[in-house]
Amino acid sequence: MKKSLLIMILALTSFVNAQRTVAEGFENAKPFLEKSECNSTGIAWIEGVLKLDPNNVEAKTIIKRCSSKKVSEAKDLLNNDIRSQRGRNLLTEVITSDADFDTEENNYLLAKSYLEDAMFYQVINHITKCINLNVNNNEYHWIRARASLTSN
């Protein structure tokens, strides 16, 4: 009886501390996110909240919104200059950290970008993801074959 009571008290204390820490995480992030919606320090605090509470909807929404903005910025950069290293880096960062953005469209844009600079390993990597998502697209197969033959 005493043992189960002690376990219950410890669990409740842990829950209260986690909730307080989640609230503190949002409070610590707030001044940074007020300066810029996707401020890296603010986002780091929000990511800390997600480590404590992986199902926190508010934190997930903030992260998703920033990821979406990064994708939009990356697409603008790559559409203006297909070789934009900043565009590549932003898009790669987002698709590796959030599976929702690891799409056919984003991988195709990266494959085209790397193809321009003859970075065939990257081309093959991204175009293979496109093929896995849309096996019937013959252009993807052609790009992968060309990249494979050229890289040897």
Side-chain angles (χ1 to χ4, degrees):
M1 172 89 166
K2 287 183 180 182
K3 188 175 184 179
S4 61
L5 182 61
L6 180 62
I7 290 172
M8 189 173 81
I9 290 172
L10 287 173
L12 185 58
T13 304
S14 175
F15 177 76
V16 169
N17 285 338
Q19 292 303 310
R20 187 188 62 178
T21 307
V22 166
E24 286 174 357
F26 279 113
E27 278 302 311
N28 290 332
K30 189 176 181 179
F32 298 103
L33 296 177
E34 285 174 349
K35 292 178 188 174
S36 170
E37 192 175 15
C38 295
N39 178 286
S40 60
T41 304
I43 294 300
W45 280 108
I46 298 300
E47 287 171 346
V49 167
L50 281 175
K51 285 181 182 174
L52 294 170
D53 181 7
N55 298 319
N56 189 293
V57 175
E58 185 180 358
K60 285 182 176 182
T61 302
I62 292 169
I63 299 290
K64 243 348 149 203
R65 190 176 328 121
C66 288
S67 293
S68 184
K69 284 185 174 198
K70 286 180 182 179
V71 168
S72 293
E73 181 183 351
K75 285 180 178 180
D76 288 344
L77 289 167
L78 290 168
N79 286 328
N80 289 329
D81 174 15
I82 195 67
R83 292 179 163 163
S84 169
Q85 189 61 47
R86 174 149 170 74
R88 287 177 188 166
N89 291 344
L90 278 172
L91 196 51
T92 300
E93 174 191 331
V94 174
I95 69 172
T96 55
S97 66
D98 189 337
D100 289 344
F101 293 99
D102 194 7
T103 65
E104 179 183 351
E105 177 188 6
N106 292 338
N107 279 290
Y108 180 63
L109 185 57
L110 283 169
K112 284 191 337 183
S113 176
Y114 287 120
L115 190 60
E116 287 294 316
D117 286 334
M119 299 174 75
F120 299 117
Y121 172 77
Q122 293 291 352
V123 173
I124 293 167
N125 179 33
H126 291 288
I127 209 67
T128 299
K129 288 182 181 181
C130 293
I131 291 169
N132 291 338
L133 293 167
N134 184 356
V135 73
N136 295 322
N137 188 314
N138 290 328
E139 182 183 2
Y140 297 161
H141 292 281
W142 171 244
I143 292 170
R144 183 169 66 179
R146 192 173 65 187
S148 294
L149 291 172
T150 310
S151 66
N152 292 329

